């Protein structure tokens, strides 16, 4: 009977293509369809009008890949059009800014439940970028949800009063003020939540307004809210609620007070959707999905990167991921300046015992960063466009006493500089600094016009007159206030400036704060965001180790987002896959308490490339690797089935070398300690396991890739190639013998043992061709590298390698496995082992929790 009914319904839908609904019903009656069946068809059609599935979904993971009910704004809407009007007045362009916001917020709303469903408890996560407009996005989501019938809106706005007040003010301006008759507010800018008398006045059927409540994640406040909602339970059955958790990784995850209270609030709301917003979702993605918690079991969605946004990758560059052409991965802008380790102890106490009585020195790097900030502010006044504020951030410690110790030396430097502007030595130094910095980042490359020193110099007295030194921390009364005219400020602070709050017009940062986790590090980056009118001018002073950590973090972010996108295309859900997070030898992914339910995720070597990009430059280490390479080439010469000499290309190829020659090489060759993915023991174990279990990887092709124009380098008496050039990234570290070349192996090299013209093939096409032609053969490539390796003049972020001996780099390409693959562990993820899914209806069954 079900198939027969479905056929009748399909006939009705076909009739609707030609006739209005009333006529389509008459046609069914003419076909002899009974009244009862026609009534069922009409009911299904009415249901389908609120569950339309024709919408281009976001790059998201959706429970059961469910259809959506929300297809975008309608003419009758009031809240979303009001936001659009405000954005236009603020100078937002229709294309692409407003259109992109419209699309991304529609995508999030499309993942929520229809507000008229009897009950629901949705849990999702939206992953944005630091300082990228997440507040504007969730405000838009709230507006669209309000336009469709959601009534109660609770925004959890971080843990500090400043962010709560800022969020309340923005939501009041963009949601309440344009439509005051549509909204009631439980909180105001000046005051967090206080229980209101008579809940019926807010939630009773006679009140049609939407209710806005903006609270900070504070146990006392949330407890009052939870208790008040419990008392109002008689009125909440018909109250669809949307809970927005801003900075959802902070305080929400694995906290004994805040986390249960959020769950208590949700338990009092029969129809609720919880949506976390964060740019550092690591902790949220590691929640135990089988527990009664806030794991994003229904959806995870990436917000698109906004045009013109300065993010981790833009500033610091990143490393190539599997499947990428390394030549297409950028090094980032030349905006990072090095703070020597000797300077750190002069601007930050080395231990708690040193805090009392500590006073920082104005080191050369700190003075240079401050003077550059004043020059930037003057140049922006010449340009007279963009953000009217200009801020510098100094962040060296979390301790408020350390922050306060900066006030006297900074004010002294400000006063002395203002009094010495006529000094020819100072003016000459400022001119040299400005000319050097503007040469390193040409304004024209970022769509700006260079400001000459002679143009900005007249503005300097006014800049110094207006400049304020502000200690912004939890114990200070003097705070950044952008509401009362243009601000020029050097802000010294810690946690109050490290999350959520926007430092308007941030131009220069001096950052040497010690951190230990990805999310903390990422949120400290207040320099991320938009730099309209001064895209060429931002600079960051930090240690080289911190810069490397940010480069690694950019790689983690990109890989994480790619995981989300890839799994969506494979029709997975947050309950059937866990996003992998690449680990780092010196950093935690997040706080230990937030990782207690995580498991080590496996990343197979199968179908992957492994390459060295970290090297030591001291002679003994390098000589050992040269010997290992020469021993491998000698073994390959004796045991290869065929040897191909390509002197015109600077290459040799040894085909079908026994695997033990490769494992012997791996036991002798030393990978750098900072390369956990290049673990010789893991790689050797992987090879031996595939040989034993799958009779694969018994034979290897060994190639030597050099430069025919380079200085000859002998690997044996009969095998010699020209040395290649691989300059290092221009950073210094605590280890004088450390070098990072960023990328070693090109896409073309991964096809060195494939016949025919492979130059135009993509990375994936090469791997597919390898799988077809060499399904069980591994490839090992040796790269003899010139010890000097001077970079070309166009590579501004590179420096000579300057090794004590020539360097031998190694690349490995593994074929795809034919069966269950052994793996190497280098990621962590959420543990999905306790999750049970009913395949028939995609219901979510969690251990200890009903569907």
């Amino acid at each position: 009977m079900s198939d027969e009914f479905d056929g009748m319904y399909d006939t009705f839908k076909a009739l609707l293509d030609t006739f209005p609904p009333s006529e389509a019903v008459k046609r069914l009656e003419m076909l002899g369809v009974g009244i009862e069946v026609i009534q069922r068809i009409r009911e299904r059609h009415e249901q389908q009008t609120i569950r339309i599935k024709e919408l281009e979904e976001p790059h998201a993971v959706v429970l059961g890949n469910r259809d959506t009910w929300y297809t975008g704004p309608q003419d009758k809407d009031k809240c979303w059009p009001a936001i659009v009007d405000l954005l236009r007045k603020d100078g937002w362009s229709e294309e692409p800014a407003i259109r992109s916001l419209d699309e991304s917020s529609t995508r999030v709303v499309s993942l929520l439940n229809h507000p008229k469903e009897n009950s629901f408890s949705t849990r999702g996560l939206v992953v944005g970028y630091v300082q990228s407009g997440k507040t504007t996005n969730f405000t838009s989501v709230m507006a669209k949800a309000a336009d469709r019938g959601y009534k109660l809106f609770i925004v959890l706005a971080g843990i500090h009063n400043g962010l709560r007040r800022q969020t309340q003010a923005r939501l009041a301006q963009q949601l309440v003020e344009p439509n005051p008759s549509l909204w009631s507010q439980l909180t105001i800018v000046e005051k967090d939540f206080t229980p209101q008398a008579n809940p019926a006045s807010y939630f009773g059927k006679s009140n049609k307004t939407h209710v806005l409540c903006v609270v900070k994640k504070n146990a006392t406040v949330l407890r009052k809210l939870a208790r008040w909602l419990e008392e109002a339970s008689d009125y909440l059955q018909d109250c669809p609620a949307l809970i927005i958790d801003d900075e959802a990784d902070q305080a929400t995850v694995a906290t004994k007070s805040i986390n249960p209270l959020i769950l208590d609030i949700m338990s009092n709301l029969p129809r609720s959707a919880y949506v976390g917003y964060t740019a550092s979702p690591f902790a949220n993605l590691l929640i135990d999905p089988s527990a009664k918690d806030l794991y994003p079991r229904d959806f995870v969605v990436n917000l698109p990167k906004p045009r013109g946004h300065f993010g981790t990758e833009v500033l610091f560059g990143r490393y190539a991921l599997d499947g990428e052409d390394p030549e297409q991965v950028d090094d980032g802008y030349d905006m990072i300046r090095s703070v020597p380790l000797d300077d750190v102890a002069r601007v930050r106490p080395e231990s708690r015992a040193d805090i009392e009585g500590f006073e920082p020195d104005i080191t050369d790097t700190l003075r240079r960063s401050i003077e550059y900030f004043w020059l930037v502010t003057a140049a922006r006044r010449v340009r007279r466009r963009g953000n009217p504020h200009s801020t510098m951030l100094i962040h060296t410690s979390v301790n408020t006493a350390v922050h306060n110790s900066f006030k006297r030396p900074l004010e002294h430097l400000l006063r002395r500089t203002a009094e010495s502007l006529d000094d020819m030595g100072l003016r000459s130094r400022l001119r040299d600094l400005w000319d050097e910095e503007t040469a390193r980042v040409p304004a024209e490359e970022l769509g700006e016009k260079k400001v000459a020193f002679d143009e900005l110099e007249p503005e300097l007295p006014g800049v110094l007159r207006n400049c304020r030194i502000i200690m912004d921390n939890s114990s200070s009364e003097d705070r950044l206030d952008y509401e009362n005219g243009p601000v020029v400020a050097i802000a010294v602070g810690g946690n109050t400036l490290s999350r959520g709050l926007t430092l308007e017009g941030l131009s220069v940062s001096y950052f040497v704060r010690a951190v230990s986790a990805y999310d903390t590090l990422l949120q400290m980056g207040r320099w991320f965001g938009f730099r309209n009118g001064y895209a060429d001018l931002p600079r960051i002073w930090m240690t080289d180790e911190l810069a490397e950590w940010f480069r690694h973090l950019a790689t983690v972010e990109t890989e994480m987002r790619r995981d989300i996108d890839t799994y969506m295309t494979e029709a997975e859900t947050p309950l059937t896959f866990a996003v992998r997070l690449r680990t780092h030898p010196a950093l935690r992914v997040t706080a230990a308490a937030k990782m207690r339910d995580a498991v080590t995720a496996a990343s197979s070597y199968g179908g992957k490339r492994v390459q060295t990009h970290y090297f030591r430059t001291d002679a003994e280490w390098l000589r050992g690797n040269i010997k290992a390479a020469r021993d491998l080439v000698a073994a390959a010469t004796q045991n290869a089935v065929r040897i191909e000499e390509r002197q015109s290309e600077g290459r040799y190829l040894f085909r079908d070398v026994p695997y033990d020659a490769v494992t012997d090489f791996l036991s002798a060759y030393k990978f750098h300690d900072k390369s956990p993915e290049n673990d010789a023991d893991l790689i050797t174990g992987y090879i031996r396991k595939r040989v034993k279990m799958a009779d694969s990887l018994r034979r290897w092709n060994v190639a030597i890739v050099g430069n025919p124009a380079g200085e000859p380098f002998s690997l044996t008496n009969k095998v010699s190639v020209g040395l290649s050039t691989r300059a290092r990234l221009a950073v210094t570290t605590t280890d004088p013998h450390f070098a990072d070349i960023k990328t070693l192996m090109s896409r073309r090299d991964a096809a060195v043992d494939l016949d025919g013209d492979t130059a135009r093939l993509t990375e994936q096409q090469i791997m597919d061709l390898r799988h077809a032609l060499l399904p069980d053969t591994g490839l090992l490539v040796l790269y003899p590298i010139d010890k000097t390796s001077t970079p070309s003049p166009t590579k501004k972020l590179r420096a000579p390698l300057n090794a004590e001996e020539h360097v031998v780099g190694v690349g490995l390409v593994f074929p795809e496995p034919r069966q269950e693959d052994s793996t190497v562990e280098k990621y962590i993820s959420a543990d999905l082992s306790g999750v049970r899914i009913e395949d028939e209806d995609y219901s979510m069954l969690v251990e200890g929790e009903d569907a």
Side-chain angles (χ1 to χ4, degrees):
M1 181 66 184
S2 176
D3 290 344
E4 182 179 348
F5 175 78
D6 288 342
M8 291 294 183
Y9 182 71
D10 289 341
T11 300
F12 176 71
K13 288 197 297 182
L15 290 169
L16 288 177
D17 292 337
T18 307
F19 305 104
S22 57
E23 182 62 27
V25 169
K26 290 180 181 178
R27 298 275 172 166
L28 288 179
E29 292 173 345
M30 293 171 59
L31 292 173
V33 181
I35 294 176
E36 184 177 330
V37 174
I38 289 175
Q39 182 60 31
R40 287 178 59 202
I41 288 173
R42 294 184 69 171
E43 288 174 356
R44 176 186 279 193
H45 177 62
E46 289 173 1
Q47 292 172 357
Q48 290 299 323
T49 60
I50 65 169
R51 284 190 170 278
I52 304 168
K53 69 177 182 178
E54 285 303 321
L55 175 69
E56 181 184 353
E57 288 295 335
H59 289 189
V61 185
V62 188
L63 179 61
N65 298 302
R66 67 185 183 197
D67 299 337
T68 184
W69 59 277
Y70 183 80
T71 58
Q74 297 181 0
D75 292 341
K76 65 180 182 180
D77 293 344
K78 295 184 181 299
C79 296
W80 164 247
I83 289 179
V84 173
D85 289 343
L86 288 172
L87 295 177
R88 285 175 179 149
K89 291 176 182 176
D90 286 342
W92 281 50
S93 62
E94 204 70 40
E95 293 285 345
I98 292 178
R99 180 177 60 82
S100 177
L101 176 64
D102 185 15
E103 290 176 352
S104 61
S105 55
T106 287
R107 290 167 180 175
V108 176
V109 178
S110 77
L111 301 173
L112 304 179
N113 292 73
H114 194 288
K116 293 190 181 299
E117 290 183 27
N118 288 333
S119 65
F120 54 87
S121 183
T122 306
R123 295 174 194 183
L125 181 67
V126 179
V127 181
Y129 294 81
V130 174
Q131 301 282 78
S132 67
K134 295 187 300 298
T135 304
T136 303
N137 186 275
F138 71 64
T139 304
S140 302
V141 167
M142 293 168 66
K144 291 180 176 182
D147 284 331
R148 286 298 180 280
Y150 274 78
K151 181 173 181 66
L152 173 61
F153 295 87
I154 299 172
V155 180
L156 308 175
I159 64 175
H160 295 293
N161 285 322
L163 180 57
R164 194 210 72 81
R165 287 192 294 262
Q166 179 177 290
T167 304
Q168 176 85 50
R170 284 189 60 173
L171 292 174
Q173 177 201 17
Q174 296 188 330
L175 291 175
V176 180
E177 292 172 12
N179 292 288
S181 62
L182 299 181
W183 291 89
S184 300
Q185 297 188 76
L186 293 174
T187 53
I188 57 176
V189 172
E190 296 78 15
K191 196 170 185 180
D192 209 327
F193 176 75
T194 300
Q196 307 290 309
N198 190 15
S201 64
Y202 292 95
F203 303 118
K205 290 187 177 181
S206 60
N207 189 335
K208 303 298 183 182
T209 63
H210 309 295
V211 181
L212 175 63
C213 181
V214 183
V215 297
K216 63 178 177 291
K217 284 185 270 190
N218 172 279
T220 302
V221 174
L222 294 180
R223 196 173 292 115
K224 288 190 292 185
L225 177 59
R227 192 179 302 121
W228 186 72
L229 288 173
E230 185 178 7
E231 294 171 356
S233 59
D234 291 346
Y235 307 99
L236 296 178
Q237 184 61 48
D238 296 324
C239 178
L242 175 58
I243 300 172
I244 298 291
D245 189 352
D246 191 13
E247 307 294 342
D249 64 301
Q250 185 187 37
T252 297
V253 184
T255 52
K256 293 181 180 179
S257 57
I258 305 301
N259 184 282
L261 288 169
I262 295 174
L263 294 169
D264 282 350
I265 289 170
M266 294 182 67
S267 70
N268 292 318
L269 298 167
R271 306 181 192 176
S272 66
Y274 167 92
V275 181
Y277 272 74
T278 180
S280 46
F282 313 113
N284 306 81
L285 294 170
L286 297 176
I287 295 171
D288 181 3
S290 65
K292 291 184 178 180
D293 211 324
L294 295 170
Y295 179 75
R297 66 192 186 194
D298 293 303
F299 65 85
V300 181
V301 56
N302 284 327
L303 290 182
K305 182 181 177 182
R307 184 176 176 182
H309 179 261
F310 277 59
T312 329
E313 182 179 345
V314 170
L315 288 167
F316 296 93
R318 64 173 173 84
Y319 300 111
L321 304 180
D322 292 323
E324 287 188 321
D325 183 349
E327 301 300 320
Q328 302 302 313
V329 180
D330 197 6
D331 288 341
Y333 290 133
D334 186 12
M335 294 180 173
I336 314 303
R337 301 293 172 260
S338 179
V339 175
L341 289 177
D342 290 345
D343 281 13
V344 176
R346 297 167 62 189
V347 296
R348 187 183 75 206
E350 296 190 72
S351 68
R352 291 194 176 189
D354 299 322
I355 291 176
E356 187 175 354
F358 176 81
E359 183 169 301
D361 293 336
I362 303 297
T363 64
D364 287 343
T365 54
L366 180 55
R367 177 185 52 77
R368 188 177 176 87
S369 66
I370 294 169
E371 290 176 348
Y372 177 72
F373 166 67
W374 289 327
L375 293 169
V376 167
T377 307
R380 292 178 59 197
R381 290 188 173 187
V382 172
R383 286 180 175 169
R384 301 190 187 284
R385 65 188 187 88
N387 195 313
H389 307 293
S390 186
T391 309
M392 177 180 178
L393 169 65
I394 297 176
H395 195 156
T396 69
S397 169
V398 69
N399 189 277
T400 57
V402 176
H403 305 159
N404 297 335
S405 72
F406 273 88
K407 192 171 185 67
R408 193 190 66 81
L410 289 178
E411 288 184 340
H412 176 70
L413 176 64
L414 173 61
R415 186 169 56 252
R416 189 181 65 196
T417 304
E419 294 170 352
S420 306
L421 276 180
D422 292 334
D423 181 78
M424 293 301 295
L426 174 62
R427 291 169 61 185
S428 177
R429 187 172 77 236
L430 294 177
R431 181 186 293 273
D432 290 345
L433 172 60
W434 184 249
D435 290 344
E436 177 186 333
E437 287 295 339
T438 53
R440 290 180 68 172
V441 185
E444 294 74 18
E445 292 182 5
L446 288 147
E448 301 291 348
K449 182 180 178 182
K450 179 181 177 179
V451 177
F453 182 79
D454 290 339
E455 293 179 272
L456 67 83
E457 189 177 18
E459 300 287 347
L460 281 173
V463 168
L464 295 170
R465 236 182 354 260
N466 298 146
C467 184
R468 297 169 58 213
I469 310 297
I470 296 178
M471 310 295 111
D472 195 314
N473 55 47
S474 57
S475 66
S476 65
E477 296 181 1
D478 193 14
R479 294 295 180 86
L480 285 165
D481 178 11
Y482 297 107
E483 300 298 322
N484 298 303
V487 168
V488 179
I490 298 174
V492 183
N495 289 343
T496 59
L497 297 179
S498 67
R499 183 185 281 267
L501 280 173
T502 299
L503 296 176
E504 296 286 351
L506 182 63
S507 305
V508 177
S509 301
Y510 189 91
F511 181 86
V512 294
R513 162 82 180 277
V515 293
S516 60
Y518 290 0
D519 41 16
T520 308
L521 186 67
L522 189 57
Q523 290 293 348
M524 294 291 177
R526 295 293 92 194
W527 46 78
F528 300 131
F530 300 93
R531 300 293 176 256
N532 182 33
Y534 62 108
D536 56 320
L537 300 179
R539 299 291 185 273
I540 306 166
W541 270 260
M542 62 170 46
T543 64
D544 294 317
E545 182 179 48
L546 276 168
E548 190 279 323
W549 288 0
F550 274 107
R551 191 178 306 116
H552 170 83
L553 190 53
T555 311
V556 173
E557 281 189 279
T558 303
E559 195 166 41
M560 173 191 70
R561 294 173 193 279
R562 192 172 73 165
D563 247 18
I564 293 172
D565 292 348
T566 300
Y567 279 85
M568 180 264 184
T569 62
E570 295 178 4
E572 299 282 358
T573 82
L575 294 176
T576 61
F577 90 94
V579 175
R580 301 169 309 149
L581 301 171
R582 184 186 294 228
T583 61
H584 186 277
L587 289 169
R588 293 196 308 264
V589 172
T590 185
K594 299 177 182 180
M595 295 192 293
R596 65 170 182 256
D597 296 315
V599 295
T600 302
S603 175
S604 170
Y605 279 124
K608 298 293 191 296
R609 287 190 312 165
V610 176
Q611 57 181 310
T612 51
H613 61 85
Y614 291 150
F615 297 99
R616 291 187 62 82
T617 59
D618 51 301
E620 183 178 356
W621 196 83
L622 296 171
R623 287 188 194 121
N625 283 350
I626 290 172
K627 183 180 185 303
R630 284 174 171 159
D631 290 346
L632 172 61
V633 174
T637 302
Q638 292 179 354
N639 296 292
V641 173
R642 189 168 85 251
I643 301 174
E644 299 173 13
E645 182 178 347
R646 309 174 188 173
Q647 284 192 341
S648 63
E649 301 176 24
R651 299 183 173 206
Y652 275 84
L653 179 63
F654 303 86
R655 290 192 181 272
D656 292 317
V657 175
Y659 79 93
D660 54 3
V662 172
T663 55
D664 287 347
F665 166 76
L666 291 172
S667 66
Y669 184 91
K670 286 185 170 57
F671 294 97
H672 199 283
D673 293 341
K674 284 192 174 183
S675 303
E677 69 273 21
N678 296 338
D679 187 308
D681 291 337
L682 284 175
I683 297 172
T684 300
Y686 172 80
I687 293 170
R688 287 175 175 158
K689 192 174 288 188
R690 277 192 66 172
V691 169
K692 181 178 179 180
M693 296 177 61
D695 200 33
S696 177
L697 290 181
R698 284 189 176 276
R699 313 298 293 186
W700 283 73
N701 293 336
V702 176
I704 308 169
V705 172
N707 179 359
E711 176 188 339
F713 179 79
S714 296
L715 286 147
T716 69
N717 291 335
K718 296 182 179 180
V719 178
S720 177
V721 297
L723 291 166
S724 298
T725 296
R726 293 289 193 279
R728 65 176 177 86
L729 290 174
V731 297
T732 56
T733 69
T734 54
D735 183 353
H737 296 298
F738 172 76
D740 179 2
I741 66 168
K742 192 165 179 268
T743 300
L744 173 74
M745 194 177 199
S746 71
R747 182 183 69 243
R748 176 188 174 216
D749 296 344
V752 66
D753 56 342
L754 298 178
D755 295 326
D757 183 9
T758 59
R760 296 180 181 275
L761 297 182
T762 65
E763 180 94 11
Q764 188 57 53
Q765 288 171 332
I766 288 173
M767 297 308 292
D768 291 344
L769 190 58
R770 295 195 65 83
H771 185 63
L773 301 178
L774 300 169
D776 295 307
T777 303
L779 171 64
L780 186 150
V781 185
L782 297 174
Y783 294 84
I785 300 169
D786 184 87
K787 62 183 180 181
T788 303
S789 288
T790 303
S792 67
T794 59
K795 297 289 186 180
K796 298 178 181 178
L797 298 183
R798 299 282 173 153
L801 186 57
N802 284 344
E804 295 177 1
E805 294 284 351
H806 296 310
V807 178
V808 176
V810 178
L812 296 146
V813 182
F814 294 90
E816 289 279 1
R818 295 193 179 198
Q819 61 182 53
E820 184 82 18
D821 192 11
S822 46
T823 56
V824 57
E825 298 173 342
K826 61 176 181 179
Y827 294 83
I828 62 171
S829 73
D831 182 3
L832 301 183
S833 61
V835 176
R836 293 187 290 119
I837 303 289
E838 286 187 354
D839 293 332
E840 292 300 315
D841 62 2
Y842 298 100
S843 295
M844 195 284 296
L845 289 179
V846 174
E847 297 293 343
E849 182 176 18
D850 294 333

